Amino acid sequence: ESFFDTLISVLESLPKVNTNNVGNKADVTNKKKKKDTHSLVWDLLLAMPTNAGIVANVHSAASRPKEVSDNSMEVDTNATSTWSSLLDINHFERSVYVMQILDSYLRPSPEMFSSLPTTPEVANELSKNMTEMSKEFRRVFISSGGFEAVLRLFVASGKGGGSRRNRMGNECALRIIKDCFFDKDGELSSEGREMIDIFATNSGAKDFLQSLVSITIDKDNGLSDSAILRVLQLVRMMLQSGGEGVITQGFTTLPNNSAETFLTSLLLWKGGSSSASGIRSASKVRKSTEEMILAIPELSSITLPYLIQSVQSIDPNTDGSDEFFSVLLKLVRSTDAASSSQRQLLTKLGTVVCVKLATYSSNSDDTTAATGSSGSVDSSTTGVLCGCLQLLIALIEADGNNIGDDNCEG
């Protein structure tokens, strides 16, 4: 117990490693050492048997009735409940350890019994019992206020700024939150519906969305693609839940153009790995973002201006722009060109597209990069070029050959 407390104290005494403002080479080296120290201590901690005292406290908290609160999403630093002490932003590393225990109960691995030297019948019975115990723990965990406690911790962590120190905690919290919002069939659970109803009566929805968005767009967090997909599922669930427009409005009014950055960056998501599986998972992130935008009318209506702005800065040689231009094309084709405001958007897009196309004719490096030694076109580097040409055709078709002609003269 004392060794466990010592390791937790070491983790919580380490300074946060934030690489957003990297200085000289010495700064980079020092930050790498601090990050390595953090990882090594966690490796040692996880190699130890699960702390029995923490496990007992988790079961004790789950066995208590939930305390009623007028605003369940406000972080109460004076809270004395067991969950609040177990999941405390002021002791984040210990809280991450607790969430890992919660995650193991909510997401058991019954397949481990298949390797036991026993009969299949016994293994199946053990697996069945573990699954039933997991369902029961989920029920008492939510009813005792554990779900809300994890949400409070997640929101508080999201407000704390980017740090890879938070990555383990954020990804673990996302797994727990997703398992509570959704049932085993991937549908919104009754408990999730109740939480959304609570969100609609206070600022909880916007705070939750802000945390989901901020941990995604902050590059220093370094979330995995699987975590990003959970974020997308949660954001889509929130925006489609209704809330009389309160939740959607909260998303679109997030500070520092966060909603715009979130949508455009995920439509062009490259992922963190160049392996075949990494490429597939990055593509899945982009496709899921495209599907979310097109499935929610309120989101589609605000996305067009975001994407128009992004066309100007998109890397001409990126090989992951298919979903970006797919969304743009579908939005253009569904736009009412007779509307003055919509026509202005189409006109602006026409100008931006033509300027982008002009860079291909004036920049020989781009042309060289897009062709092989035999002069053949490399399709992996011409996605933006093809996308712009398709957009130009769609713009001409949308407005009687006027938009393209007006903006592409010369």
Side-chain angles (χ1 to χ4, degrees), residues 84-98:
S84 293
S85 61
L86 284 172
L87 300 168
D88 183 0
I89 188 62
N90 296 315
H91 298 283
F92 186 72
E93 303 291 348
R94 182 181 291 269
S95 298
V96 173
Y97 188 85
V98 172

PDB file of all heavy atoms in Angstrom, residues 84-98:
ATOM      1  N   SER A  84     -16.681  11.453  -5.548  1.00  0.00           N
ATOM      2  CA  SER A  84     -15.942  12.705  -5.735  1.00  0.00           C
ATOM      3  C   SER A  84     -14.523  12.601  -5.201  1.00  0.00           C
ATOM      4  O   SER A  84     -13.608  13.243  -5.729  1.00  0.00           O
ATOM      5  CB  SER A  84     -16.672  13.858  -5.026  1.00  0.00           C
ATOM      6  OG  SER A  84     -17.907  14.123  -5.642  1.00  0.00           O
ATOM      7  N   SER A  85     -14.329  11.804  -4.161  1.00  0.00           N
ATOM      8  CA  SER A  85     -12.977  11.636  -3.637  1.00  0.00           C
ATOM      9  C   SER A  85     -12.167  10.663  -4.480  1.00  0.00           C
ATOM     10  O   SER A  85     -10.945  10.804  -4.613  1.00  0.00           O
ATOM     11  CB  SER A  85     -13.029  11.157  -2.174  1.00  0.00           C
ATOM     12  OG  SER A  85     -13.678   9.902  -2.084  1.00  0.00           O
ATOM     13  N   LEU A  86     -12.844   9.679  -5.069  1.00  0.00           N
ATOM     14  CA  LEU A  86     -12.150   8.726  -5.926  1.00  0.00           C
ATOM     15  C   LEU A  86     -11.796   9.324  -7.278  1.00  0.00           C
ATOM     16  O   LEU A  86     -10.772   8.970  -7.878  1.00  0.00           O
ATOM     17  CB  LEU A  86     -13.022   7.482  -6.139  1.00  0.00           C
ATOM     18  CG  LEU A  86     -13.114   6.488  -4.987  1.00  0.00           C
ATOM     19  CD1 LEU A  86     -14.170   5.427  -5.291  1.00  0.00           C
ATOM     20  CD2 LEU A  86     -11.771   5.828  -4.724  1.00  0.00           C
ATOM     21  N   LEU A  87     -12.660  10.200  -7.788  1.00  0.00           N
ATOM     22  CA  LEU A  87     -12.468  10.813  -9.105  1.00  0.00           C
ATOM     23  C   LEU A  87     -12.345  12.320  -8.924  1.00  0.00           C
ATOM     24  O   LEU A  87     -13.272  13.077  -9.126  1.00  0.00           O
ATOM     25  CB  LEU A  87     -13.638  10.449 -10.022  1.00  0.00           C
ATOM     26  CG  LEU A  87     -13.814   8.942 -10.268  1.00  0.00           C
ATOM     27  CD1 LEU A  87     -15.160   8.653 -10.925  1.00  0.00           C
ATOM     28  CD2 LEU A  87     -12.673   8.397 -11.124  1.00  0.00           C
ATOM     29  N   ASP A  88     -11.151  12.730  -8.541  1.00  0.00           N
ATOM     30  CA  ASP A  88     -10.879  14.113  -8.157  1.00  0.00           C
ATOM     31  C   ASP A  88      -9.841  14.708  -9.096  1.00  0.00           C
ATOM     32  O   ASP A  88      -8.727  14.183  -9.221  1.00  0.00           O
ATOM     33  CB  ASP A  88     -10.383  14.142  -6.710  1.00  0.00           C
ATOM     34  CG  ASP A  88     -10.138  15.547  -6.180  1.00  0.00           C
ATOM     35  OD1 ASP A  88     -10.361  16.520  -6.941  1.00  0.00           O
ATOM     36  OD2 ASP A  88      -9.718  15.669  -5.019  1.00  0.00           O
ATOM     37  N   ILE A  89     -10.184  15.803  -9.758  1.00  0.00           N
ATOM     38  CA  ILE A  89      -9.264  16.436 -10.704  1.00  0.00           C
ATOM     39  C   ILE A  89      -7.984  16.893 -10.026  1.00  0.00           C
ATOM     40  O   ILE A  89      -6.922  16.966 -10.652  1.00  0.00           O
ATOM     41  CB  ILE A  89      -9.958  17.642 -11.411  1.00  0.00           C
ATOM     42  CG1 ILE A  89      -9.078  18.188 -12.544  1.00  0.00           C
ATOM     43  CG2 ILE A  89     -10.294  18.728 -10.406  1.00  0.00           C
ATOM     44  CD1 ILE A  89      -8.809  17.215 -13.650  1.00  0.00           C
ATOM     45  N   ASN A  90      -8.028  17.146  -8.728  1.00  0.00           N
ATOM     46  CA  ASN A  90      -6.837  17.575  -7.998  1.00  0.00           C
ATOM     47  C   ASN A  90      -5.888  16.412  -7.729  1.00  0.00           C
ATOM     48  O   ASN A  90      -4.752  16.634  -7.301  1.00  0.00           O
ATOM     49  CB  ASN A  90      -7.245  18.231  -6.676  1.00  0.00           C
ATOM     50  CG  ASN A  90      -8.034  19.500  -6.892  1.00  0.00           C
ATOM     51  OD1 ASN A  90      -7.676  20.329  -7.725  1.00  0.00           O
ATOM     52  ND2 ASN A  90      -9.130  19.654  -6.170  1.00  0.00           N
ATOM     53  N   HIS A  91      -6.350  15.196  -7.948  1.00  0.00           N
ATOM     54  CA  HIS A  91      -5.506  14.000  -7.849  1.00  0.00           C
ATOM     55  C   HIS A  91      -5.740  13.177  -9.112  1.00  0.00           C
ATOM     56  O   HIS A  91      -6.263  12.058  -9.067  1.00  0.00           O
ATOM     57  CB  HIS A  91      -5.852  13.205  -6.588  1.00  0.00           C
ATOM     58  CG  HIS A  91      -5.614  13.955  -5.312  1.00  0.00           C
ATOM     59  ND1 HIS A  91      -4.356  14.144  -4.769  1.00  0.00           N
ATOM     60  CD2 HIS A  91      -6.465  14.616  -4.488  1.00  0.00           C
ATOM     61  CE1 HIS A  91      -4.441  14.857  -3.666  1.00  0.00           C
ATOM     62  NE2 HIS A  91      -5.713  15.161  -3.472  1.00  0.00           N
ATOM     63  N   PHE A  92      -5.323  13.744 -10.219  1.00  0.00           N
ATOM     64  CA  PHE A  92      -5.688  13.198 -11.520  1.00  0.00           C
ATOM     65  C   PHE A  92      -5.111  11.807 -11.755  1.00  0.00           C
ATOM     66  O   PHE A  92      -5.797  10.914 -12.260  1.00  0.00           O
ATOM     67  CB  PHE A  92      -5.240  14.150 -12.632  1.00  0.00           C
ATOM     68  CG  PHE A  92      -5.699  13.738 -13.999  1.00  0.00           C
ATOM     69  CD1 PHE A  92      -7.032  13.864 -14.359  1.00  0.00           C
ATOM     70  CD2 PHE A  92      -4.817  13.205 -14.922  1.00  0.00           C
ATOM     71  CE1 PHE A  92      -7.479  13.481 -15.614  1.00  0.00           C
ATOM     72  CE2 PHE A  92      -5.245  12.823 -16.177  1.00  0.00           C
ATOM     73  CZ  PHE A  92      -6.574  12.961 -16.521  1.00  0.00           C
ATOM     74  N   GLU A  93      -3.843  11.591 -11.389  1.00  0.00           N
ATOM     75  CA  GLU A  93      -3.215  10.296 -11.650  1.00  0.00           C
ATOM     76  C   GLU A  93      -3.914   9.185 -10.871  1.00  0.00           C
ATOM     77  O   GLU A  93      -4.153   8.095 -11.409  1.00  0.00           O
ATOM     78  CB  GLU A  93      -1.726  10.359 -11.285  1.00  0.00           C
ATOM     79  CG  GLU A  93      -0.938  11.444 -12.001  1.00  0.00           C
ATOM     80  CD  GLU A  93      -0.774  11.181 -13.492  1.00  0.00           C
ATOM     81  OE1 GLU A  93      -1.064  10.047 -13.934  1.00  0.00           O
ATOM     82  OE2 GLU A  93      -0.352  12.096 -14.216  1.00  0.00           O
ATOM     83  N   ARG A  94      -4.258   9.446  -9.627  1.00  0.00           N
ATOM     84  CA  ARG A  94      -4.984   8.460  -8.845  1.00  0.00           C
ATOM     85  C   ARG A  94      -6.366   8.206  -9.472  1.00  0.00           C
ATOM     86  O   ARG A  94      -6.857   7.071  -9.511  1.00  0.00           O
ATOM     87  CB  ARG A  94      -5.131   8.928  -7.399  1.00  0.00           C
ATOM     88  CG  ARG A  94      -5.849   7.929  -6.489  1.00  0.00           C
ATOM     89  CD  ARG A  94      -5.959   8.486  -5.082  1.00  0.00           C
ATOM     90  NE  ARG A  94      -4.665   8.556  -4.432  1.00  0.00           N
ATOM     91  CZ  ARG A  94      -4.142   7.594  -3.690  1.00  0.00           C
ATOM     92  NH1 ARG A  94      -4.819   6.466  -3.498  1.00  0.00           N
ATOM     93  NH2 ARG A  94      -2.945   7.729  -3.127  1.00  0.00           N
ATOM     94  N   SER A  95      -6.967   9.276  -9.974  1.00  0.00           N
ATOM     95  CA  SER A  95      -8.278   9.149 -10.612  1.00  0.00           C
ATOM     96  C   SER A  95      -8.192   8.294 -11.873  1.00  0.00           C
ATOM     97  O   SER A  95      -9.111   7.520 -12.175  1.00  0.00           O
ATOM     98  CB  SER A  95      -8.845  10.529 -10.946  1.00  0.00           C
ATOM     99  OG  SER A  95      -9.039  11.293  -9.778  1.00  0.00           O
ATOM    100  N   VAL A  96      -7.103   8.427 -12.618  1.00  0.00           N
ATOM    101  CA  VAL A  96      -6.908   7.603 -13.816  1.00  0.00           C
ATOM    102  C   VAL A  96      -6.808   6.135 -13.423  1.00  0.00           C
ATOM    103  O   VAL A  96      -7.377   5.254 -14.091  1.00  0.00           O
ATOM    104  CB  VAL A  96      -5.646   8.037 -14.589  1.00  0.00           C
ATOM    105  CG1 VAL A  96      -5.364   7.072 -15.737  1.00  0.00           C
ATOM    106  CG2 VAL A  96      -5.822   9.451 -15.133  1.00  0.00           C
ATOM    107  N   TYR A  97      -6.124   5.864 -12.334  1.00  0.00           N
ATOM    108  CA  TYR A  97      -6.015   4.483 -11.845  1.00  0.00           C
ATOM    109  C   TYR A  97      -7.394   3.934 -11.496  1.00  0.00           C
ATOM    110  O   TYR A  97      -7.729   2.787 -11.839  1.00  0.00           O
ATOM    111  CB  TYR A  97      -5.107   4.454 -10.620  1.00  0.00           C
ATOM    112  CG  TYR A  97      -4.765   3.054 -10.136  1.00  0.00           C
ATOM    113  CD1 TYR A  97      -3.701   2.354 -10.696  1.00  0.00           C
ATOM    114  CD2 TYR A  97      -5.500   2.446  -9.121  1.00  0.00           C
ATOM    115  CE1 TYR A  97      -3.386   1.065 -10.260  1.00  0.00           C
ATOM    116  CE2 TYR A  97      -5.202   1.164  -8.681  1.00  0.00           C
ATOM    117  CZ  TYR A  97      -4.143   0.482  -9.256  1.00  0.00           C
ATOM    118  OH  TYR A  97      -3.842  -0.799  -8.830  1.00  0.00           O
ATOM    119  N   VAL A  98      -8.209   4.752 -10.845  1.00  0.00           N
ATOM    120  CA  VAL A  98      -9.572   4.334 -10.506  1.00  0.00           C
ATOM    121  C   VAL A  98     -10.372   4.064 -11.769  1.00  0.00           C
ATOM    122  O   VAL A  98     -11.103   3.064 -11.859  1.00  0.00           O
ATOM    123  CB  VAL A  98     -10.268   5.415  -9.649  1.00  0.00           C
ATOM    124  CG1 VAL A  98     -11.754   5.082  -9.458  1.00  0.00           C
ATOM    125  CG2 VAL A  98      -9.585   5.558  -8.293  1.00  0.00           C
TER     126      VAL A  98
END
